[in-house]
Amino acid sequence: MIKLENIHKYYDSQHVLKGIDLIVNKGEVVAILGPSGSGKSTLLRCINFLEQPTRGIVEISDKRVDAESASKADISSLRNSTGMVFQQYNLFKNFTVLQNVMIGLTSVKKIHKAEAKKMSLEILERVGLTNRLNHYPSQLSGGQQQRVGIARALALNPEVLLFDEPTSSLDPELVDEVLTTIKKVASEGNTMLIVTHELNFARDISDRVIFMEDGVIIEEGTPEQIFNHPKVERTKQFLGKAIRAK
Amino acid sequence: MENLLDINFLIESIPAIVSRLPITIGIAVGSLILSLFIGVATALIKIYRVPVLRVISSIYVSFIRGTPLLVQIYLVFYGIPKIIYYLQIQYGWLQSADVNSIPPEVYALVAFSVNLGAYLSETIRSAIESVDRGQFEAAKSIGMTPAQMMLKIIFPQALAVAIPNLGNMFISTIKDTSLVFIIGVIDIMGQAKILGSRGLAFFEVYIGVSIVYWILCIAVERLLVLIEKRARRYERGIAS
């Protein structure tokens, strides 16, 4: 479970997140929607402290971390209980597919190499990449790279998976293979928080949708509520435009 | 008839010159290794903006770049024994060190390491900074410690970027080692000088020593191409 309390983020004088409260229950899949610059990626990155929140509390499975007094150990504990999938994949370029998935197990979790390899192969099987084990990221398509990215995040068996616009830099024809993989991961009961611009995908996959603008959550509800009966005018306008544009 | 060159003397001098090659290579390779540590340390100090150390390291880099290597070699050769002696007399430190028994090769190694370290510092810093930010973020996101991130992810990628520059500096260093005879180290250049004065055939021995330097540098260049290929094997276009 993730619990965010009153998360604020300033870049100098710019107030990017204005007191976000959010709970994601175990096994829940939550999609965060909103226009560019609404702070949704920043919010995601505040959860594992890739961006340090200026104020507020991040709690993951009973581990409460106050942004203003977070120690290195606190931050590392949050990072150990989250897995992140990046827009730009960010696979380790100097590692093969298999090494990318194994590295967290061997160097962070200190699991023995042979065991780590076995676990990694299982996970790569789930994302359908066992035929590319010894390829380097530069030898893979964007879709394949992102599936390795998902496998790398899954390998550490985190409490929560964070997806930061996982399909935004993919060629349109490669989006589906990644979305299918994410759906599969969701169906396995993982707790997930997804920032995305794929509205149909968000509607299909999520248990709950959050709509953000200007650093605040302006509406949240089930996909049915948000997409079919949005209460707030701004949500209606955004989703209407975006859906029409499809 | 007067000959331009005593070819026989030249040819005979070469084995004697080559016999000192381990000294030349030893100083060059030894100082490359030590200077990599200095270069990485000063680069990290700059990148992480470590207070105090940052100032010291930028003075160090500026001083080394702003003074001739020859002067630096003399400073080390005359300075270190004096400093050790002073510490012994004044504070009773380093009592076990015998200043007179330190071989000149050690001073040469120190001088070249300190010199090359300053030049590598900027190369290494820019190579580390050229690594994509996403690589740092991904490493943090899976919970790596800063040391793990640097050693396993960042340095290998930075090294691949830095190799051409490091290689050029290493080749310059090999040639610069020809200065060490001034503090009594008999490297290939020192040996050539000795042979030249013995046979009063300086032109011959300097041709001989040039050939040895030239072949050595060609070999190092070849080696660097292989190392670079190996270090960049993960980049696009090199199939597994």
Side-chain angles (χ1 to χ4, degrees):
Chain A
M1 188 191 84
I2 316 182
K3 193 168 166 194
L4 304 179
E5 288 174 25
N6 198 25
I7 298 288
H8 285 266
K9 174 69 184 173
Y10 289 85
Y11 291 113
D12 299 323
S13 62
Q14 203 187 346
H15 200 176
V16 187
L17 295 176
K18 301 169 181 166
I20 303 282
D21 292 296
L22 176 65
I23 291 179
V24 182
N25 293 308
K26 196 166 171 53
E28 202 180 16
V29 176
V30 175
I32 306 179
L33 306 178
S36 299
S38 56
K40 47 194 197 308
S41 280
T42 307
L43 176 64
L44 205 65
R45 294 159 59 84
C46 278
I47 297 173
N48 61 0
F49 278 59
L50 284 186
E51 303 284 354
Q52 173 125 13
T54 313
R55 260 202 328 272
I57 288 166
V58 178
E59 182 179 330
I60 300 177
S61 312
D62 300 331
K63 173 77 188 171
R64 270 175 81 82
V65 177
D66 187 327
E68 284 170 289
S69 59
S71 67
K72 278 183 185 156
D74 290 335
I75 293 172
S76 117
S77 128
L78 288 180
R79 287 179 181 162
N80 285 330
S81 49
T82 52
M84 188 169 233
V85 176
F86 297 88
Q87 181 178 353
Q88 304 290 347
Y89 333 128
N90 294 350
L91 296 185
F92 301 128
K93 291 180 192 165
N94 52 328
F95 285 172
T96 62
V97 167
L98 180 61
Q99 289 170 330
N100 262 282
V101 181
M102 276 176 68
I103 182 75
L105 294 170
T106 52
S107 68
V108 179
K109 294 215 162 168
K110 310 285 181 206
I111 292 171
H112 194 270
K113 224 170 174 178
E115 176 67 12
K117 185 172 176 182
K118 207 178 119 220
M119 294 165 73
S120 302
L121 289 174
E122 270 169 38
I123 292 158
L124 284 164
E125 177 92 58
R126 275 155 67 192
V127 299
L129 277 170
T130 41
N131 55 346
R132 293 282 187 279
L133 296 180
N134 297 314
H135 284 58
Y136 287 101
S138 65
Q139 300 164 326
L140 302 178
S141 73
Q144 291 169 334
Q145 288 192 54
Q146 194 57 301
R147 278 147 64 201
V148 178
I150 294 168
R152 178 177 64 185
L154 279 174
L156 297 164
N157 195 22
E159 305 278 341
V160 189
L161 286 166
L162 307 171
F163 292 81
D164 188 6
E165 305 196 24
T167 60
S168 296
S169 33
L170 289 170
D171 287 347
E173 57 188 5
L174 299 176
V175 168
D176 278 346
E177 67 176 80
V178 171
L179 293 184
T180 310
T181 307
I182 299 175
K183 277 182 190 164
K184 193 170 165 204
V185 172
S187 69
E188 289 163 355
N190 289 292
T191 311
M192 293 167 42
L193 199 51
I194 307 173
V195 168
T196 183
H197 287 127
E198 299 281 337
L199 299 178
N200 290 323
F201 166 70
R203 170 149 58 177
D204 290 351
I205 196 176
S206 56
D207 302 310
R208 193 147 51 93
V209 174
I210 282 170
F211 186 79
M212 274 183 76
E213 185 169 49
D214 280 337
V216 289
I217 294 175
I218 58 175
E219 189 166 3
E220 65 175 294
T222 64
E224 149 73 15
Q225 282 165 357
I226 298 288
F227 283 93
N228 298 345
H229 315 286
K231 293 193 194 86
V232 181
E233 190 53 35
R234 179 65 184 118
T235 316
K236 203 180 290 179
Q237 192 194 359
F238 178 81
L239 295 178
K241 244 185 213 156
I243 287 167
R244 271 201 304 281
K246 281 242 148 203
Chain B
M1 201 184 100
E2 178 77 340
N3 282 331
L4 174 64
L5 275 177
D6 182 345
I7 295 287
N8 285 334
F9 191 84
L10 197 170
I11 293 171
E12 281 162 21
S13 72
I14 286 185
I17 292 172
V18 168
S19 74
R20 308 306 295 187
L21 206 48
I23 298 287
T24 296
I25 294 176
I27 293 172
V29 172
S31 59
L32 176 68
I33 293 168
L34 293 175
S35 64
L36 278 172
F37 285 101
I38 300 175
V40 167
T42 49
L44 290 179
I45 285 168
K46 196 156 186 186
I47 289 170
Y48 287 105
R49 300 199 179 88
V50 182
V52 187
L53 288 181
R54 190 171 64 144
V55 178
I56 295 173
S57 89
S58 70
I59 291 172
Y60 154 67
V61 171
S62 161
F63 177 77
I64 296 296
R65 292 217 266 200
T67 53
L69 174 57
L70 184 61
V71 175
Q72 294 160 15
I73 294 170
Y74 280 133
L75 281 176
V76 168
F77 184 66
Y78 291 106
I80 290 183
K82 269 208 124 160
I83 291 168
I84 292 176
Y85 183 70
Y86 177 80
L87 293 177
Q88 285 173 337
I89 300 298
Q90 203 73 15
Y91 300 101
W93 295 351
L94 301 171
Q95 289 301 351
S96 58
D98 176 5
V99 171
N100 298 314
S101 71
I102 299 175
E105 285 82 1
V106 171
Y107 296 113
L109 192 63
V110 171
F112 276 86
S113 304
V114 169
N115 177 271
L116 188 55
Y119 285 97
L120 293 189
S121 175
E122 282 299 290
T123 301
I124 292 172
R125 183 189 59 78
S126 67
I128 291 174
E129 287 182 341
S130 78
V131 175
D132 183 14
R133 254 178 65 107
Q135 300 287 305
F136 289 82
E137 293 189 343
K140 288 177 190 165
S141 82
I142 64 168
M144 280 188 173
T145 62
Q148 288 172 332
M149 172 175 81
M150 283 296 174
L151 290 174
K152 289 175 199 274
I153 310 296
I154 307 304
F155 289 159
Q157 294 186 32
L159 188 66
V161 174
I163 282 175
N165 269 329
L166 296 183
N168 283 336
M169 289 181 192
F170 180 57
I171 285 172
S172 295
T173 300
I174 290 173
K175 292 178 290 182
D176 288 344
T177 57
S178 61
L179 291 170
V180 294
F181 189 51
I182 57 160
I183 57 168
V185 177
I186 303 169
D187 65 329
I188 58 176
M189 184 66 178
Q191 184 68 2
K193 281 183 178 161
I194 292 169
L195 292 174
S197 11
R198 228 181 257 159
L200 288 178
F202 287 103
F203 192 30
E204 285 79 359
V205 292
Y206 288 141
I207 290 177
V209 80
S210 321
I211 293 170
V212 176
Y213 276 120
W214 192 11
I215 292 174
L216 176 60
C217 288
I218 290 172
V220 170
E221 270 172 46
R222 291 277 165 85
L223 188 64
L224 283 167
V225 170
L226 294 179
I227 293 173
E228 189 182 357
K229 223 178 211 165
R230 161 93 190 143
R232 306 184 83 125
R233 68 190 180 285
Y234 55 82
E235 286 177 14
R236 183 172 283 280
I238 305 164
S240 59

